[in-house]
Amino acid sequence: MNAPARGRRTGDEAVSVMTQQASYVDRDQLVIAHVGLVKAMAHRLAQRLPAQVEMTDLISVGVMGLIDAAGRYKASMGVPFDAFARRRVQGAMLDALRDLDWAPRSLRRMRRELDGAVAKLRAELKREPTEDEVAGQMQMSPTEYDKAMDQVRTLDVGAIRQLDATGEDGQPLLELCIDIDEGPDAQLERKELRALLAQAIMDLPERERQILALYYEEEMTMAEIGAVIGVCESRVSQLRSLALSRLRTSLKTRLQKPEARA
């Protein structure tokens, strides 16, 4: 048989090229159809971030996540593309935020001092301290304390996620980051951590639990939460920051070995 002429494709090669071109078309159509989803997610996330984080940057990285999702998606997965894309878009945005180093050392030091004050008072009082007690421990006036809490909130982006929420495919959100190949010991540790976090949340004052639920589960903005519970937006921010500090210090205590707590 004569060999195919140079520059001409065999039948199999032509089919392969046509299939590849069709997949590119499908991918592009998915991306175009879901750009609005990226913008909506970026807008929602930007409302929770300090002003120096540009929403246009979130959209840019989100679109890259959308393109990646469209290239990897297969209808045979049995998962709607919208749900599949949301994970990758959100993951791309959060990865970009983690790469930012916009928080000065003084602010990180302030958060450590807040956590330390909460932990010290909890150990002394055998209960959750009030805000006035925390401010006093930090040797701050009420005004200084309020300002500090507003600043600390910028460090708490995405710190806590809902424990038992599920995506549109029914998979628990906390399990999205689990390595399917991890051993039984790692799985047990993760299960215990979920239980510890659940208990730490239950120990929070009721209003702080409500704020976390509205913020992380219902994805409401600070202003929307304030309208629900009847306080101003800045007050919601302060209570949320304090709640996260309580959770951090509570988990550190609970995760210590028994002999270390003795």
Side-chain angles (χ1 to χ4, degrees), residues 196-248:
L196 289 174
L197 181 55
Q199 185 58 55
I201 291 175
M202 290 303 298
D203 290 344
L204 290 175
E206 182 178 357
R207 174 172 281 191
E208 292 174 26
R209 289 202 310 271
Q210 182 183 16
I211 288 173
L212 291 185
L214 293 175
Y215 187 80
Y216 291 104
E217 297 180 25
E218 303 299 328
E219 296 189 350
M220 296 174 66
T221 65
M222 299 285 189
E224 292 169 340
I225 296 173
V228 170
I229 66 176
V231 299
C232 65
E233 182 177 352
S234 63
R235 180 61 178 151
V236 174
S237 172
Q238 294 163 8
L239 290 172
R240 171 181 165 275
S241 294
L242 180 58
L244 294 179
S245 179
R246 293 189 200 276
L247 289 179
R248 282 193 299 269

Side-chain angles (χ1 to χ4, degrees), residues 72-92:
R72 295 173 180 269
Y73 180 71
K74 292 183 177 63
S76 59
M77 294 176 177
V79 179
F81 178 74
D82 181 273
F84 182 77
R86 281 178 183 273
R87 297 179 189 172
R88 295 193 175 273
V89 170
Q90 185 177 51

Side-chain angles (χ1 to χ4, degrees), residues 140-160:
M140 290 182 174
S141 68
T143 300
E144 291 171 334
Y145 173 81
D146 289 347
K147 182 178 179 181
M149 297 300 282
D150 283 338
Q151 293 175 330
V152 166
R153 80 175 181 87
T154 63
L155 293 174
D156 293 322
V157 176
I160 305 294

Side-chain angles (χ1 to χ4, degrees), residues 36-241:
L37 171 66
V38 175
K39 292 181 178 178
M41 293 178 67
H43 178 72
R44 195 75 180 179
L45 182 57
Q47 293 179 339
R48 304 182 177 193
L49 300 173
Q52 56 264 48
V53 179
E54 295 286 345
M55 189 171 72
T56 52
D57 293 337
L58 291 177
I59 293 175
S60 296
V61 297
V63 168
M64 296 304 296
L66 178 63
I67 293 172
D68 179 61
R72 295 173 180 269
Y73 180 71
K74 292 183 177 63
S76 59
M77 294 176 177
V79 179
F81 178 74
D82 181 273
F84 182 77
R86 281 178 183 273
R87 297 179 189 172
R88 295 193 175 273
V89 170
Q90 185 177 51
M93 291 180 181
L94 293 179
D95 284 345
L97 290 174
R98 294 187 190 101
D99 290 339
L100 294 176
D101 189 19
W102 38 261
R105 291 182 179 178
S106 59
L107 186 54
R108 298 186 186 279
R109 182 171 62 251
M110 184 186 299
R111 187 173 72 174
R112 289 195 297 270
E113 292 172 355
L114 171 64
D115 290 354
V118 170
K120 185 174 187 296
L121 288 169
R122 183 189 289 121
E124 293 176 352
L125 302 173
K126 308 302 181 184
R127 60 169 172 80
E128 288 293 336
T130 65
E131 290 183 273
D132 289 341
E133 290 168 340
V134 174
Q137 179 65 36
M138 297 179 72
Q139 299 183 343
M140 290 182 174
S141 68
T143 300
E144 291 171 334
Y145 173 81
D146 289 347
K147 182 178 179 181
M149 297 300 282
D150 283 338
Q151 293 175 330
V152 166
R153 80 175 181 87
T154 63
L155 293 174
D156 293 322
V157 176
I160 305 294
R161 293 295 173 199
Q162 180 187 8
L163 283 177
D164 298 316
T166 57
E168 295 184 23
D169 61 346
Q171 184 178 10
L173 296 179
L174 267 187
E175 294 179 4
L176 295 179
C177 58
I178 295 178
D179 183 354
I180 60 175
D181 294 324
E182 68 182 6
D185 290 344
Q187 294 178 21
L188 178 60
E189 288 177 0
R190 190 180 296 275
K191 182 178 180 180
E192 291 175 346
L193 180 58
R194 284 170 61 100
L196 289 174
L197 181 55
Q199 185 58 55
I201 291 175
M202 290 303 298
D203 290 344
L204 290 175
E206 182 178 357
R207 174 172 281 191
E208 292 174 26
R209 289 202 310 271
Q210 182 183 16
I211 288 173
L212 291 185
L214 293 175
Y215 187 80
Y216 291 104
E217 297 180 25
E218 303 299 328
E219 296 189 350
M220 296 174 66
T221 65
M222 299 285 189
E224 292 169 340
I225 296 173
V228 170
I229 66 176
V231 299
C232 65
E233 182 177 352
S234 63
R235 180 61 178 151
V236 174
S237 172
Q238 294 163 8
L239 290 172
R240 171 181 165 275
S241 294

